[in-house]
Amino acid sequence: MKLKKITYALFFMFTFPAVAADKGTLTIPTTAVTGNPLGVGSDQMVVPISILNGRELSLKRENTLAETLNSIPGVSNSSFGPSIGRPMIRGMDSDRVKILQNGVNNLDASNLSFDHGVSIDPLIIEQIDVIRGPATLLYGGGAVGGVVNAIDHRIPKEKLQGITGRGEVRYGGANLEQSNAAVVDVGTGNFVMHFDAYNRDSKNLRIPGNAISNRLESTQVWNPEGDGSYAAYPTNHGRKKLLNSQSETRGGAVGASMIFDRGYAGVSYAKHQTKYGSVKEPGVLLDMDTDRIDFASEIRDLGSFFERAKFKAAYTDYRHHEMDAVTIHTTFKNRGIDCTFELAHVPLLGLKGVIGTQFDSGKFDAIGHEAFTPNSKTNSQSVYVYEELPLNQHKMTFGLRHGKHEVESKGGEPDEHGHNKFGDPSRKKFNTNNAAIGGLYKLNEQWSLTGNLSHNERAPSYFELFANGLHKATGVFEQGQSNLKKEKSNGIDGQIRWKSGQDSLTFGAYFNRFSNFNGLLSTPDKGEVEHDEHQEHYKISRFTGIKAEFKGVELEGKTMLTDYLQFNVRGDYIDAKDKTNGGYVPRISPLKLGAGLKYEFDRFGARLDVLHAFKQDRVATNYNYEPGKELMTDAYTNVSMMATYKLPTQLNLEAFTRANNLLDQEIREHTSFLKDIAPMGGRSIMFGLRGEF
């Protein structure tokens, strides 16, 4: 079966260039990768990268960052309902995937729990860079899965005389979304100000049938009421509508910069608020509030050994309440600062590169009877170097990063019975070393090869070390281990790329072997949680180091069939195994293959996309979340269409309509923690209007 699946991808790879071989060559500009320190185009990057920006991003914007990126090979959505989702890359999530905003860490609590949202709304993002594979050298230790860098213009970097902006309104979809956004930049030459504002309201998600899957209804699962029995999963999550899946989001920002002949300096303040229902717990709401202050500056042409200096910093004050209609049960707070200083040197023996240092410090507080981690502090300092060596039309890259990390638990206070579940204060220190070497080899004007070798280390996070309590989102008693070792892996990554004018094809493969992978594994033990005057018992899952292997392939391509019609293909396959206990790592995306047609002529545009996800029967056996064990997920085919029309007005206005899940299939994403109680939306249509000036 695996050979058959991989054969599909290889077939696309070797037949696709032949389909487009008779096309003329049209030179198109490359897109700058804002996260790359040397500012090269995406087709010059050695590591695998995908970019969404401009009109393409505008038409793909969804409720969450992860859902917006769901069409990129190797990227999936760890959905916890329609309003919550964190990107997974190549089967990895949590701290193995760095989420950045303008190259600086996005500090929230989404890495702690699946039900915590990412505090970035796609409505105001101008570009998203997705770097797949080990990008640890430039973005912080541990990003072995990859990096998602969301870029906005809140700190302007270029001179502007006058006013520019964009706006967008939309209504519809499976959750009857009503949203709008406005972005405005005003400049007097060297001084530029930025303003943006957005809001999004959505109702309960409309679904094709029952929220509970047939597989789950027929399975006897762990009963979370604590009596040690097994019972059928509750069926109160809805039919035709997914209960408690509504959300309300508000936000905005103001920024200003002084632009100089050799650089800029600017600051911005942003506010993001969202309140959404917990699909898993009817009646429970999460109220999130984030304040963020950014500063960024760059000076070029220094006239010395270092030709450019760049500094970026962000302070974030994040908190969210978990509550019912009137009572706050638990509050999570995360406050911290992240700073990066980088110097680019002049060419030295042919080498171009940067040296940099990064500092981040965060304080996490959990307050309330459902807190399952102690209050903690995390401090990290890192230094890194990244170099590129051009070799005619070829290129080699080298990088090293060394980091020091300190994770401190504040411990806990004894309860009325003298029990202290978080124990005494504790402090753990880790040193991490990351290294990579890569190369780009051009076979000819159309074909090129890339390859990367990497060694990656990640320090355990505070919850992996110190958690000790019931985690409602997973339905198990989570336990950290203070003696947990740092995560270690070695990886190899390669791509073959073909490009001729507007036609392109990329096929890649990767392999990562973890000598220590810190996963949440089930145990035969049970933990006690006291409510009022009675005790409840929950299965214990413990963060444990195992050996693991991740490997997979990715495919992406496009070709112009006519002057107005483009054909697209995509696909990805991931295989992740627990080499210590046998079996598979949980929530791994199945083989996905997709194709589409894109038509544009004059003012009119249309698009048809078909994505088929195969059945996922490679499920985990040692990762027991509620409802007990990971279940298989059935195959589905998602058909979507879009139409656009540029209005004949002096303003640059474009109307669009988008239809999703035209077959009205029951779509359950295997990467979603709630896949068996919260399917994706049913057949729906959305209308929108966007404009620029």
Side-chain angles (χ1 to χ4, degrees), residues 61-72:
R61 287 190 178 102
E62 297 287 354
N63 278 359
T64 66
L65 189 65
E67 197 175 357
T68 300
L69 302 174
N70 214 14
S71 62
I72 295 177

Side-chain angles (χ1 to χ4, degrees), residues 222 224 280 372 468-479 520-522 527 529 537-542 623-628 673:
W222 179 252
K280 182 174 176 292
F372 63 96
N468 188 41
L470 173 64
H471 187 184
K472 285 283 190 177
T474 58
V476 297
F477 196 99
E478 289 191 12
Q479 280 189 350
L520 187 63
L521 276 67
S522 65
V529 178
H537 300 267
Y538 294 81
K539 297 191 73 173
I540 289 179
S541 287
R542 185 174 294 122
Y623 295 74
N624 282 356
Y625 303 107
E626 184 199 338
F673 183 81

Side-chain angles (χ1 to χ4, degrees), residues 534-549:
H534 67 281
Q535 289 184 336
E536 298 177 354
H537 300 267
Y538 294 81
K539 297 191 73 173
I540 289 179
S541 287
R542 185 174 294 122
F543 286 100
T544 306
I546 61 171
K547 298 181 186 296
E549 287 183 357

Side-chain angles (χ1 to χ4, degrees), residues 20-175:
D22 61 344
K23 306 291 187 305
T25 300
L26 175 64
T27 302
I28 58 176
T30 58
T31 304
V33 183
T34 58
N36 182 271
L38 302 182
V40 302
S42 57
D43 59 345
Q44 299 172 292
M45 290 284 287
V46 174
V47 296
I49 185 166
S50 297
I51 296 174
L52 274 179
N53 59 12
R55 182 168 175 268
E56 184 74 7
L57 171 60
S58 179
L59 296 175
K60 286 188 175 181
R61 287 190 178 102
E62 297 287 354
N63 278 359
T64 66
L65 189 65
E67 197 175 357
T68 300
L69 302 174
N70 214 14
S71 62
I72 295 177
V75 181
S76 50
N77 180 10
S78 61
S79 168
F80 206 89
S83 302
I84 303 301
R86 199 176 195 273
M88 294 179 65
I89 301 180
R90 294 180 169 179
M92 302 183 203
D93 59 4
S94 192
D95 286 340
R96 300 177 191 93
V97 174
K98 289 284 186 182
I99 299 180
L100 312 177
Q101 193 164 1
N102 304 308
V104 182
N105 279 334
N106 181 63
L107 189 65
D108 51 32
S110 61
N111 61 335
L112 170 67
S113 178
F114 303 101
D115 62 332
H116 298 170
V118 176
S119 57
I120 297 175
D121 195 290
L123 284 172
I124 48 84
I125 297 302
E126 305 293 345
Q127 177 170 313
I128 307 175
D129 297 345
V130 180
I131 304 175
R132 302 186 296 277
T136 57
L137 297 178
L138 300 175
Y139 303 104
V144 61
V147 167
V148 175
N149 189 18
I151 300 112
D152 54 55
H153 293 164
R154 287 173 167 171
I155 297 181
K157 299 180 182 179
E158 298 179 354
K159 294 181 181 180
L160 174 65
Q161 188 73 47
I163 181 171
T164 65
R166 65 175 176 87
E168 181 174 330
V169 295
R170 55 174 70 190
Y171 174 78
N175 57 353

Side-chain angles (χ1 to χ4, degrees), residues 677-688:
I677 65 172
M680 307 302 286
R683 184 188 295 120
S684 66
I685 187 168
M686 171 178 283
F687 300 94

